[in-house]
Amino acid sequence: MATLDREEKERHGLRILFMILFWFILRLSYFVTGLMALVQWIWRWFETRPDGRLRRFSVSLARYQRQVVDFLLFNTPRKPFPFDDWPSSDVDAVRPEDENPIETDEPTDDNDARSDSDEERKD
């Protein structure tokens, strides 16, 4: 029984070291998030469509931050990257309607697009 308590305490001691490490990594990732927001804003200033590579990285970075927070709050025992794989960047999980396209002077046919998508839903 005494060895079980000692092993448990050693695991907790080791976990606190990992928690401190991942807390610093999380703080650094927040800085990267701010840089990514600035880069995406600049990109969208000059382009009408978002850059796919930036979006994929942003999605995977947000998922990584979630994994780190889950580890820090004891929601999971799994340590995030670099002890596990980097999270996937399924941009398809981000709905297209979440994007706010930049308005242009070009006329759009929103009514036709809505009626087509409504007919697809009925089928």
Side-chain angles (χ1 to χ4, degrees):
M1 175 129 173
T3 59
L4 195 62
D5 289 336
R6 195 178 101 215
E7 289 175 6
E8 178 98 12
K9 288 182 182 184
E10 286 176 1
R11 275 188 276 153
H12 276 311
L14 189 57
R15 183 174 174 111
I16 191 67
L17 294 176
F18 282 116
M19 289 176 71
I20 292 169
L21 171 70
F22 281 112
W23 182 81
F24 281 112
I25 290 173
L26 183 64
R27 300 294 296 176
L28 178 63
S29 74
Y30 287 154
F31 177 74
V32 172
T33 299
L35 288 178
M36 288 299 300
L38 180 63
V39 167
Q40 287 189 31
W41 182 84
I42 291 170
W43 179 268
R44 291 296 294 263
W45 183 266
F46 296 105
E47 297 290 329
T48 57
R49 305 300 284 155
D51 182 48
R53 291 174 294 177
L54 289 175
R55 281 197 68 199
R56 282 190 296 278
F57 179 72
S58 297
V59 168
S60 66
L61 180 63
R63 289 180 179 163
Y64 176 71
Q65 290 170 341
R66 174 61 192 244
Q67 289 177 355
V68 171
V69 169
D70 282 344
F71 177 74
L72 290 175
L73 297 178
F74 285 84
N75 292 333
T76 182
R78 293 181 59 189
K79 292 182 234 29
F81 181 83
F83 298 97
D84 201 3
D85 292 334
W86 183 259
S88 67
S89 60
D90 300 330
V91 177
D92 296 337
V94 179
R95 298 177 308 203
E97 59 267 13
D98 289 341
E99 293 180 20
N100 293 328
I102 297 174
E103 295 190 21
T104 62
D105 294 330
E106 298 174 18
T108 59
D109 242 353
D110 287 339
N111 291 337
D112 290 341
R114 287 186 190 135
S115 64
D116 289 342
S117 62
D118 289 340
E119 289 175 10
E120 290 174 8
R121 289 184 196 139
K122 291 177 186 175
D123 292 338

